[in-house]
Amino acid sequence: MKFIRTYRGRIVLLALGLLLLDFGITNLLFYRSMEKYDHMGRDQIVDTALRHYNDQLDLYFDAYEDELRFFVQQNGIQLAHLQPEQYRDPLETAFHNFHEIHPEIRMILYGTETGKIFFDAETTQLPAGYDPRVRPWYLLGLDLSPGEIGYSDIYPYINTGENVISLSVKVQDPAGKLAGVLSIVLDVD
């Protein structure tokens, strides 16, 4: 206590207090600047990760878009609505082969404007009376331009209620009239 009563003691205590205050302010400013820098670093990391994730999604879905465009040009899909019994076996075989190559898909199917449905019956069962023309994937395809691929909103799969998304494309016959809609159904759960 005697030390604080002397001028020398007070000056030393004041200098020590100022030094501690200066040290505290410097540390606080340094901490704040590092916190801001660290936050900017996290934002950049998140941006990079999101861009990478988005690029991967584009690659994933682009492959299915290419497959849909290929199917529209192949396998008699453009004529199947006119002679369904002639095209049923070749289409269902093509869909089965596609499903074996891509087991991650729920199904690939084609519905005609007359209500006929083509799908891989070995891997997929549809309820009796199934009318493709009222399903979200089919309705989506009706609003598309030729060659345009549309993505549905998430909707419940008819057999299980699990969430799915569809990529659909409108199919026109050689005269340019609506033949039907071709779709790939993917799980999102």
Side-chain angles (χ1 to χ4, degrees):
M1 285 283 202
K2 225 179 201 190
F3 179 75
I4 297 176
R5 290 187 189 167
T6 66
Y7 287 111
R8 182 172 172 231
R10 289 181 187 167
I11 292 174
V12 169
L13 189 58
L14 179 62
L16 185 59
L18 289 175
L19 185 63
L20 287 174
L21 182 63
D22 181 52
F23 181 72
I25 291 172
T26 301
N27 281 334
L28 181 64
L29 291 174
F30 176 75
Y31 173 77
R32 290 288 186 193
S33 67
M34 290 307 292
E35 183 180 70
K36 184 177 179 181
Y37 175 77
D38 185 45
H39 181 71
M40 287 173 46
R42 281 185 297 222
D43 287 348
Q44 289 173 339
I45 290 168
V46 168
D47 277 351
T48 301
L50 287 175
R51 267 184 295 192
H52 178 71
Y53 184 68
N54 192 45
D55 291 345
Q56 293 302 313
L57 284 174
D58 285 345
L59 288 172
Y60 178 77
F61 286 113
D62 286 350
Y64 290 120
E65 288 183 17
D66 292 343
E67 296 282 1
L68 282 173
R69 288 187 185 99
F70 174 79
F71 264 102
V72 169
Q73 302 302 319
Q74 306 294 318
N75 303 312
I77 283 185
Q78 296 174 335
L79 301 173
H81 70 293
L82 300 173
Q83 300 170 326
E85 294 316 311
Q86 177 183 344
Y87 288 97
R88 181 164 306 283
D89 287 341
L91 280 177
E92 289 182 359
T93 298
F95 290 167
H96 178 76
N97 292 339
F98 182 81
H99 197 259
E100 282 190 345
I101 295 168
H102 299 284
E104 72 279 3
I105 70 166
R106 175 63 63 135
M107 68 197 282
I108 181 169
L109 67 166
Y110 175 59
T112 70
E113 95 293 352
T114 60
K116 299 285 185 201
I117 185 77
F118 300 89
F119 62 99
D120 177 13
E122 289 185 44
T123 60
T124 305
Q125 298 299 316
L126 295 175
Y130 182 88
D131 187 349
R133 298 169 297 181
V134 298
R135 299 300 300 153
W137 60 268
Y138 189 92
L139 296 171
L140 168 68
L142 295 178
D143 293 332
L144 300 173
S145 302
E148 180 183 8
I149 306 293
Y151 291 78
S152 73
D153 290 331
I154 295 173
Y155 65 94
Y157 184 62
I158 195 162
N159 288 344
T160 64
E162 293 173 315
N163 291 325
V164 295
I165 185 172
S166 297
L167 284 70
S168 297
V169 63
K170 180 190 289 185
V171 178
Q172 295 180 309
D173 66 18
K177 293 184 179 180
L178 175 67
V181 175
L182 176 66
S183 186
I184 294 174
V185 180
L186 301 167
D187 290 316
V188 292
D189 284 339

